[in-house]
């Protein structure tokens, strides 16, 4: 169970490194699989653990994060765990207040409205002081996992976080945040730089705490076209990979594989493949062969089954997985959904997805 805070040393030996090998482009006997939002409301045990507590209070409890991270692994033979947390802990570390409103999602009590509001943000963030609870959750979970599978840490990317901080929550158009890019390009870059610097320290801290891979979520990439992406997203995405790697080297920490997931950014796949990440995550709106052609042979791809495919009958899920594996190939590939699991999904269908990936990839590899 998830108890006792332990030190980020003397971790149990890793028993299943298939996910890490695939991420690094090494040969695997089968295709590894995990799911975005695998620790989520579709699991009755997750709803039960979460019931009594405020969302962000849960994020701040290493013990609860550990329990929630491990729940899907008790049910399914997944090849990786991803720490239970939220991308909005970074704006919180900058001093912004975010509350989770049931049925609505995250809401910022005072979003950024004017350029002057940037002065209200902490300009220097001590990530251990502000986000140490995430590091503790990672260390505790890594011990409690007992080497079963690797543990992934993550962060939102600067543009995605900026868009939340200005919109004050979710938005279908991101018009307020995008208006900053057009009206206040310099202030936008100041904010993105501030976010990138915190994210870099935060990701390095996660590795120091025991994370064995890192994923950067540019979830709102689809709201930008190629030009805005080129100016306001890509430079920071590149910089994060480069800076994290050089800091890991400096601090003699393991050089863990990094994944970039820029949702709906197929216009930028070529650039993302050269942005310094070992793995490029794909949403469900691109054909596997096309993604391979654009990204080349030097990166691993991750994705990209339409999450809604899990509403299909189990046999149909198996067929869709087989087709996906035939298209991507079983090597240099990590199976996943094209985005997170939805709360009303049937856990048995998630199990069918995981088993189909293992069975079909083994079969393809044999023949």
């Amino acid at each position: 169970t998830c108890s006792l805070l332990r030190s980020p040393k003397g971790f149990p030996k890793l028993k299943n490194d298939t996910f890490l090998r695939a991420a690094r482009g090494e040969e695997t006997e089968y295709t590894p699989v995990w799911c975005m939002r695998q620790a989520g409301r579709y699991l009755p045990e997750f709803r039960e653990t979460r019931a009594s507590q405020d969302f962000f209070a849960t994020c701040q409890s290493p013990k609860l994060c550990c329990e929630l991270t491990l729940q899907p692994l008790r049910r399914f033979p997944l090849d990786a765990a991803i720490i239970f947390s939220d991308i909005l802990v970074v704006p919180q570390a900058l001093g912004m207040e975010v509350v989770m409103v049931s049925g609505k999602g995250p809401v910022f009590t005072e979003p950024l409205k004017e350029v002057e509001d940037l002065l209200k943000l902490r300009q220097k963030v001590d990530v251990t002081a502000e986000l140490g609870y995430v590091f503790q959750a990672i260390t505790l979970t890594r011990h409690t996992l007992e080497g079963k599978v690797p543990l992934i840490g993550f962060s939102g990317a600067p543009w995605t976080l900026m868009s939340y901080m200005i919109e004050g929550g979710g938005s279908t158009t991101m018009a307020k945040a995008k208006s900053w890019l057009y009206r206040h390009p310099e202030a936008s870059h100041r904010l993105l730089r501030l976010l990138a610097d915190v994210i870099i320290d935060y990701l390095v801290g996660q590795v120091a705490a025991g994370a064995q891979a890192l994923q950067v979520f540019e979830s709102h990439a689809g709201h930008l076209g190629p030009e805005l992406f080129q100016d306001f997203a890509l430079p920071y995405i590149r910089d994060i990979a480069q800076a994290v790697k050089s800091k890991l080297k400096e601090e003699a920490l393991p050089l863990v594989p990094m994944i970039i997931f820029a949702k709906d950014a197929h216009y930028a796949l070529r650039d993302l493949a050269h942005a310094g990440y070992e793995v490029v995550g794909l949403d469900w709106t691109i054909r596997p062969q096309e993604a391979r052609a654009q990204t080349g042979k030097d990166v691993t791809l991750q994705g990209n089954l339409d999450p809604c495919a899990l509403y299909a009958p189990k046999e149909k899920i198996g067929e869709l997985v087989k087709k996906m594996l035939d298209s991507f190939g079983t090597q240099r590939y990590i199976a996943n959904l094209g985005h997170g699991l939805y709360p009303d999904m049937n856990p048995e269908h998630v199990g069918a997805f995981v088993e189909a990936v293992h069975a079909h990839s083994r079969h393809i590899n044999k023949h």
Side-chain angles (χ1 to χ4, degrees):
T1 58
C2 305
S3 64
L4 292 172
L5 286 179
R6 318 205 198 154
S7 94
K9 288 188 177 60
F11 289 124
K13 191 172 170 346
L14 184 59
K15 298 176 190 131
N16 171 2
D17 66 348
T18 313
F19 162 80
L20 294 178
R21 302 224 325 267
R24 293 192 295 254
E26 295 163 20
E27 206 171 313
T28 58
E29 14 172 339
Y30 64 87
T31 298
V33 56
W34 66 281
C35 298
M36 288 185 265
R37 235 179 276 141
Q38 62 191 29
R41 284 174 293 172
Y42 74 101
L43 291 174
E45 58 269 37
F46 178 95
R47 293 197 297 272
E48 208 175 302
T49 307
R50 278 273 303 104
S52 59
Q53 196 128 22
D54 166 72
F55 178 80
F56 286 109
T58 304
C59 290
Q60 286 161 19
S61 158
K63 214 170 147 175
L64 287 176
C65 290
C66 172
E67 168 58 24
L68 294 169
T69 301
L70 295 179
Q71 284 176 349
L73 297 167
R74 294 188 192 121
R75 275 195 189 240
F76 317 116
L78 293 153
D79 294 289
I82 181 164
I83 194 68
F84 176 80
S85 185
D86 195 85
I87 63 172
L88 299 181
V89 299
V90 169
Q92 286 177 331
L94 288 166
M96 294 189 81
E97 193 189 349
V98 193
V99 290
M100 197 56 84
V101 178
S102 101
K104 194 177 172 186
V107 174
F108 283 73
T109 48
E110 291 183 42
L112 304 174
K113 291 196 168 74
E114 305 302 329
V115 170
E116 298 78 69
D117 293 343
L118 293 181
L119 299 172
K120 296 180 192 165
L121 299 173
R122 271 190 198 108
Q123 301 304 307
K124 262 291 191 233
V125 174
D126 173 347
V127 292
T128 309
E130 300 299 330
L131 295 165
Y133 59 87
V134 179
F135 302 157
Q136 288 172 1
I138 287 172
T139 302
L140 181 58
T141 306
R142 176 86 188 269
H143 280 292
T144 314
L145 264 170
E146 293 176 331
K148 194 172 175 179
V149 293
L151 179 61
I152 304 169
F154 69 90
S155 172
W159 154 250
T160 294
L161 296 178
M162 170 183 172
S163 64
Y164 271 114
M165 290 158 76
I166 293 171
E167 296 290 341
S171 155
T172 49
T173 59
M174 298 293 158
K176 288 180 190 153
K178 286 177 71 178
S179 84
W180 272 54
L181 305 180
Y182 285 109
R183 286 166 42 223
H184 314 299
E186 278 162 34
S188 296
H189 279 299
R190 270 211 313 279
L191 174 55
L192 291 162
R193 180 72 264 159
L194 176 63
L195 283 162
D197 289 343
V198 177
I199 290 162
I200 289 160
D201 288 346
Y202 180 44
L203 291 171
V204 171
Q206 291 185 49
V207 176
Q212 290 155 289
L214 296 169
Q215 176 154 311
V216 175
F217 284 86
E218 189 70 281
S219 313
H220 295 167
H223 292 278
L224 303 175
E227 285 179 20
L228 288 178
F229 188 84
Q230 202 74 36
D231 287 347
F232 296 100
L234 189 64
Y236 299 98
I237 286 172
R238 277 197 191 116
D239 187 48
I240 287 166
Q242 201 183 337
V244 166
K245 286 176 179 180
S246 74
K247 287 197 175 199
L248 291 175
K249 272 202 192 98
E250 264 166 50
E251 297 181 27
L253 289 164
L255 278 178
V256 303
M258 295 179 70
I259 307 165
I260 177 67
F261 174 65
K263 190 169 176 293
D264 297 323
H266 16 86
Y267 55 79
L269 274 186
R270 240 182 213 104
D271 288 326
L272 290 167
H274 296 105
Y277 294 76
E278 286 68 26
V279 183
V280 175
L282 304 166
D283 60 63
W284 66 90
T285 62
I286 184 147
R287 289 188 178 85
Q289 293 92 330
E290 217 165 288
R292 277 277 184 224
Q294 288 196 43
T295 52
K297 292 189 177 56
D298 297 327
V299 295
T300 292
L301 295 179
Q302 174 179 282
N304 75 339
L305 191 72
D306 179 354
C308 291
L310 297 190
Y311 293 122
K314 288 190 206 167
E315 316 67 78
K316 177 74 175 155
I317 294 172
E319 287 164 32
L320 292 167
V321 164
K322 185 176 179 307
K323 198 173 155 195
M324 183 168 83
L325 285 161
D326 286 337
S327 304
F328 278 109
T330 59
Q331 300 298 320
R332 259 207 181 279
Y333 175 55
I334 297 161
N336 204 319
L337 304 171
H339 201 210
L341 286 158
Y342 301 138
D344 63 347
M345 285 179 164
N346 181 342
E348 284 180 23
H349 288 222
V350 177
F353 167 64
V354 173
E355 276 153 39
V357 171
H358 287 160
H360 288 303
S361 62
R362 281 184 197 279
H363 181 81
I364 294 169
N365 284 350
K366 270 207 189 85
H367 300 281

